[in-house]
Amino acid sequence: MQIITTQKALQEQVEACKRLGKTIGLVPTMGALHEGHASLVRKSVEENRVTFVSVFVNPTQFNNKEDLLKYPRDINKDAELLASLNVDFLFAPATEEMYTDEELNTTFSFDFGGLDQVMEGKMRPGHFNGVVQIVSRLFTLVQPDRAYFGEKDYQQLAIIRRMVQVLDFNDIQIVGCPIVRESSGLALSSRNQRLSAEEKAIAVNISHILFESRQLTQSQSVAQVQSWVIEQVNRVQGLTVEYYEIVDQTTLMPVQDFSHAIGCITVYCGPVRLIDNIKY
């Protein structure tokens, strides 16, 4: 595996792959890699001749600067994992390699079509502007045939799909990959590294309650199930629901029934903000 730290070196490798007619897979990450990321990488390695993985903690998608500072980082451990998964290129740039000072201090403009007005977008203003900013830049640099994203960040995946249409990246296939969970049911997340053993034991209740809510869909309305989930999670000492929304899987707009619905939740476990979702 070759480690690249500059845009120039990245483009040189991409051009060499293109000249040889090799298909390219891209897995954009912010590092602190776990089995969820590994599942994306394995799929890319399986489906493409060459796989690029980016590790970049993107400052423009953090509306909370303290959260940015606390975000876990271990590039050596990440590189070791990626090498074991047969990744061809790791792109690990410094912030100044990706952004000018002006870009860092200016909100990236994008027409989300309303997808940024609900859930994560509502709670984290500017977050998805930063996501589109960095992913669109990576798409331009790497020119992948396929790009891989986890369904745990479901709203992000919906926004990436819109970005492909709006910014004319239609040659890139967006591959959504299922949530990977620990044996306990807890959705894998880089933020789990910030949980104490006690907090982790508490956090498993989030997924357990989501799974249980599926059994209510035959007898209760969307509003009733939504209220039930919020009430059950808040009953667990140490957990506080920020939001739980049951929305259409494509538009992310509220639904009246469960036929094409997904429930998306954000919960604070102590100081750590966790997200999860469940399809109905």
Side-chain angles (χ1 to χ4, degrees):
M1 183 182 74
Q2 185 170 337
I3 299 176
I4 302 169
T5 58
T6 68
Q7 292 190 40
K8 182 176 184 295
L10 176 63
Q11 289 180 300
E12 288 172 354
Q13 294 297 339
V14 168
E15 289 167 7
C17 293
K18 294 286 186 182
R19 282 196 301 270
L20 295 172
K22 295 181 177 180
T23 54
I24 295 176
L26 171 65
V27 183
T29 83
M30 291 207 301
L33 303 181
H34 51 66
E35 182 56 32
H37 296 108
S39 71
L40 307 183
V41 172
R42 289 191 191 98
K43 192 164 182 63
S44 177
V45 170
E46 177 187 337
E47 295 182 345
N48 304 280
R49 288 284 303 281
V50 179
T51 291
F52 288 77
V53 176
S54 63
V55 171
F56 180 64
V57 182
N58 177 36
T60 66
Q61 69 188 69
F62 285 83
N63 59 326
N64 183 330
K65 298 306 179 186
E66 184 178 347
D67 197 23
L68 171 60
L69 291 172
K70 289 183 177 179
Y71 198 86
R73 297 165 172 84
D74 192 338
I75 189 62
N76 293 328
K77 186 177 179 183
D78 291 343
E80 186 178 335
L81 173 62
L82 295 173
S84 74
L85 294 171
N86 298 316
V87 167
D88 300 280
F89 299 98
L90 165 57
F91 180 49
T95 299
E96 53 270 23
E97 179 66 24
M98 297 305 290
Y99 295 123
T100 64
D101 288 341
E102 182 180 353
E103 288 173 326
L104 282 173
N105 294 295
T106 305
T107 301
F108 185 78
S109 180
F110 180 73
D111 176 12
F112 292 92
L115 291 176
D116 63 329
Q117 299 300 308
V118 297
M119 298 188 299
E120 289 295 284
K122 184 177 180 181
M123 297 298 176
R124 303 175 67 187
H127 166 67
F128 287 121
N129 299 76
V131 170
V132 171
Q133 182 178 27
I134 189 59
V135 175
S136 62
R137 184 153 302 178
L138 290 170
F139 279 9
T140 299
L141 290 169
V142 180
Q143 304 170 51
D145 296 278
R146 301 177 185 88
Y148 298 80
F149 297 87
E151 290 187 349
K152 183 175 75 69
D153 296 290
Y154 195 85
Q155 187 172 7
Q156 172 179 278
L157 178 58
I159 284 172
I160 295 299
R161 293 191 191 283
R162 175 170 174 80
M163 183 197 80
V164 164
Q165 297 174 336
V166 173
L167 299 183
D168 196 24
F169 288 115
N170 293 301
D171 290 340
I172 301 174
Q173 179 186 350
I174 304 302
V175 183
C177 300
I179 295 174
V180 177
R181 300 182 182 275
E182 296 185 6
S183 58
S184 65
L186 180 65
L188 289 180
S189 170
S190 299
R191 295 175 190 273
N192 290 359
Q193 296 181 25
R194 294 176 54 195
L195 296 172
S196 67
E198 182 181 352
E199 287 170 334
K200 208 170 185 184
I202 293 169
V204 301
N205 286 281
I206 301 168
S207 58
H208 293 177
I209 291 166
L210 290 180
F211 295 147
E212 191 175 347
S213 73
R214 279 179 167 160
Q215 301 173 19
L216 306 178
T217 60
Q218 299 300 315
S219 60
Q220 297 193 28
S221 68
V222 169
Q224 287 172 322
V225 172
Q226 181 179 2
S227 296
W228 182 86
V229 168
I230 293 171
E231 181 182 344
Q232 293 300 310
V233 175
N234 281 336
R235 278 183 177 177
V236 179
Q237 188 172 1
L239 297 183
T240 304
V241 175
E242 184 175 65
Y243 67 79
Y244 180 58
E245 301 288 346
I246 301 176
V247 298
D248 181 86
Q249 292 182 26
T250 303
T251 66
L252 305 186
M253 293 294 107
V255 293
Q256 300 302 313
D257 59 59
F258 292 99
S259 59
H260 193 244
I262 184 167
C264 299
I265 196 164
T266 294
V267 179
Y268 278 94
C269 183
V272 183
R273 190 174 186 271
L274 303 174
I275 66 173
D276 202 345
N277 63 67
I278 188 169
K279 292 179 180 177
Y280 289 109

